Amino acid sequence: MEHVTLNVSGMSCEHCVKAVEGSVGELQGVKKVSVNLAKGKVDVEYDTNLLSLDEIKETIDDQGYDVI
């Protein structure tokens, strides 16, 4: 398992948190995802054999937020 903390801009409310946690959490290989709205951070624990970091970033981007 790999653990990564991503800086994400554009999140401003609880809907944003649910959108990111929901979409990333549905990816095959994600064990845990947690958004810290106040800090603009997304923590993800995932299996690198099933999922790449780029796929996680793309999923967040698809929700309308920017991984910086």
Side-chain angles (χ1 to χ4, degrees), residues 29-51:
V30 171
K31 180 177 180 185
K32 182 179 176 184
V33 58
S34 176
V35 173
N36 183 322
L37 184 60
K39 293 184 178 181
K41 306 241 183 231
V42 178
D43 291 313
V44 184
E45 189 174 333
Y46 67 101
D47 186 339
T48 55
N49 294 319
L50 299 173
L51 186 64

Side-chain angles (χ1 to χ4, degrees), residues 15-17 59-60 63:
H15 171 76
C16 301
V17 172
T59 298
I60 294 171
Q63 292 300 312

Side-chain angles (χ1 to χ4, degrees), residues 5-12 17 34-43 60 65-68:
T5 300
L6 302 170
N7 293 311
V8 179
S9 66
M11 298 184 299
S12 61
V17 172
S34 176
V35 173
N36 183 322
L37 184 60
K39 293 184 178 181
K41 306 241 183 231
V42 178
D43 291 313
I60 294 171
Y65 310 105
D66 295 318
V67 179
I68 50 176

Side-chain angles (χ1 to χ4, degrees), residues 9-28:
S9 66
M11 298 184 299
S12 61
C13 64
E14 194 60 34
H15 171 76
C16 301
V17 172
K18 289 180 182 179
V20 172
E21 287 182 347
S23 62
V24 174
E26 290 177 357
L27 295 172
Q28 184 177 5

